[in-house]
Amino acid sequence: MALPVRNQITIWGISAAVLVLVLWKLGDVLLPFLVGGAIAYFLDPLADRLERLGLSRALATTSIALIATLGIVILALAVAPLLLRQLVGLVETAPAIATRLQGFLTSTFPSMMEHGSIINESLTSLGNAIKARGGELAQGLLSSAMTLVNAVVFIVVVPVVTFYMLLDWDRMVAQIDALLPLDHAPTIRRLGHDIDRVLSGFVRGQVSVCLILGAFYAAALMAAGLSFGLLAGAIAGALTFIPYVGALVGGALAIGLALFQFWGDWMSIGIVAGIFAIGQFLEGNVITPRLVGNSVGLHPLWLIFALSAFGTLFGFVGMLVAVPVSAMFGVLIRFAIEHYRQGRLYRGLAGLDDTPTTLSDATETKA
């Protein structure tokens, strides 16, 4: 005999509460495993395709690992040094940028920058805080043995977790499928398929969008002569995963740097602004519709809310699980709405074929 609905709700509610508690208490410990699992999920279709070409699962996984390692090494040798130099240069240039900004505000809005004004006090307080805490924070991060150990553990554990999860992915899915409650297995499989379709379509497509836009912004900004073009393009591309944030942050950073570097050369500043305008046009009208599509069911506002809420509650680990959880909620909400529209609560008496819907129908039926 199947469990009563109330007991089932209790069991699933307790399971969800335990999962939330584990994420809250063991977030830092779970981080490498979540990242490794996400990468394995991302690469599983490639491994399946290699299996269809005749390779064994072990050989397909090993081939993917070797190719990924080679790509990371090439990327680290070719791009990472330049990116690091630009990051260091930007940090060193930041005081000069702040000084020029203060001078511009003083000459343009003298009343706003007078001693005792709100803006002047805010800028002074911000500068003092950066001077007081910036060096201390940087020294703490560099000298913290625990930070170094965590970084090494993360770098070592993530590839190992990814390899073994990718190797055993199909086996794990089959074992989980065998444990599904028999009464609800078809429904759970259907929901799981829908969640996988939404999640894979969004994540794989959005990662491709981030890489394409990051490469476009970096190459175009460097071609325009912007000193920190690679860094600004990389930041804009990475943040494109969050709707609207990548364009706003990357565009503001690039245009701000262009104003500092090309002040008076409005043509160059306009070119930098035009690069982001073109990038946004391509993203909204060409790249995202082709790679992500409109059928994944993750509204940008819902995604922003999920990332903000889970990031606040669980930190970086929460941001990692925000996308799959939001995809799952979206599928479950659509499933609930579908059943609601088929039920008596929504259809009422009008939904019954043998129930009269008007007074005249009721009179004729009674007669």
Side-chain angles (χ1 to χ4, degrees):
M1 179 182 296
L3 286 175
V5 174
R6 179 176 298 179
N7 292 348
Q8 295 184 40
I9 293 176
T10 301
I11 292 174
W12 288 112
I14 293 174
S15 301
V18 171
L19 178 61
V20 170
L21 183 62
V22 168
L23 287 175
W24 187 29
K25 294 295 186 180
L26 300 178
D28 294 337
V29 177
L30 294 176
L31 180 59
F33 298 92
L34 291 175
V35 173
I39 298 174
Y41 171 79
F42 186 81
L43 295 175
D44 179 63
L46 178 59
D48 292 339
R49 184 171 299 179
L50 292 177
E51 282 190 282
R52 289 194 293 269
L53 294 176
L55 298 180
S56 65
R57 185 71 181 192
L59 185 57
T61 303
T62 303
S63 301
I64 294 173
L66 292 176
I67 294 173
T69 302
L70 181 61
I72 292 173
V73 170
I74 294 175
L75 185 66
L77 294 177
V79 179
L82 178 59
L83 192 63
L84 184 61
R85 283 199 299 269
Q86 291 200 0
L87 179 60
V88 173
L90 179 61
V91 173
E92 293 177 348
T93 311
I97 295 176
T99 301
R100 177 173 292 189
L101 175 62
Q102 188 172 7
F104 171 76
L105 292 176
T106 302
S107 61
T108 308
F109 308 103
S111 60
M112 298 176 63
M113 296 300 295
E114 291 179 355
H115 181 72
S117 65
I118 296 177
I119 295 181
N120 186 52
E121 293 294 332
S122 299
L123 289 176
T124 302
S125 300
L126 179 61
N128 292 334
I130 293 175
K131 291 178 181 178
R133 298 295 182 182
E136 179 182 345
L137 177 61
Q139 183 178 2
L141 290 175
L142 293 176
S143 61
S144 175
M146 186 57 66
T147 301
L148 180 61
V149 170
N150 290 338
V152 171
V153 170
F154 183 85
I155 294 173
V156 172
V157 172
V158 168
V160 175
V161 172
T162 302
F163 180 86
Y164 282 106
M165 292 194 73
L166 184 60
L167 180 64
D168 297 328
W169 189 269
D170 293 339
R171 189 179 306 133
M172 289 188 299
V173 171
Q175 291 177 350
I176 293 173
D177 182 80
L179 296 175
L180 296 178
L182 297 181
D183 288 344
H184 306 293
T187 302
I188 295 175
R189 292 190 185 104
R190 173 196 163 189
L191 294 175
H193 175 75
D194 291 343
I195 293 171
D196 175 69
R197 177 183 58 82
V198 171
L199 187 59
S200 61
F202 179 81
V203 173
R204 295 187 179 105
Q206 199 64 42
V207 168
S208 301
V209 171
C210 291
L211 293 175
I212 292 173
L213 284 178
F216 167 75
Y217 286 138
L221 291 174
M222 292 177 68
L226 190 65
S227 298
F228 305 103
L230 177 62
L231 180 62
I235 292 174
L239 293 179
T240 300
F241 192 84
I242 307 175
Y244 313 119
V245 173
L248 291 176
V249 175
L253 176 61
I255 294 174
L257 292 172
L259 289 172
F260 173 75
Q261 181 178 344
F262 303 122
W263 182 256
D265 185 0
W266 301 110
M267 177 65 71
S268 298
I269 297 173
I271 290 174
V272 172
I275 289 172
F276 276 88
I278 294 173
Q280 284 306 290
F281 174 81
L282 293 176
E283 178 191 0
N285 297 278
V286 180
I287 301 175
T288 299
R290 289 181 177 272
L291 296 180
V292 180
N294 299 319
S295 60
V296 296
L298 283 179
H299 194 277
L301 294 180
W302 170 242
L303 184 63
I304 292 174
F305 171 77
L307 289 169
S308 302
F310 279 81
T312 301
L313 292 173
F314 306 111
F316 185 70
V317 174
M319 298 186 69
L320 287 179
V321 302
V323 173
V325 171
S326 60
M328 180 186 69
F329 280 161
V331 170
L332 294 178
I333 290 173
R334 287 192 291 273
F335 176 78
I337 292 175
E338 176 186 342
H339 279 262
Y340 163 71
R341 294 178 68 90
Q342 296 175 355
R344 287 288 302 275
L345 180 62
Y346 172 75
R347 297 169 67 87
L349 296 177
L352 300 178
D353 295 336
D354 57 346
T355 301
T357 57
T358 64
L359 183 60
S360 60
D361 292 338
T363 304
E364 293 176 2
T365 303
K366 184 176 181 180

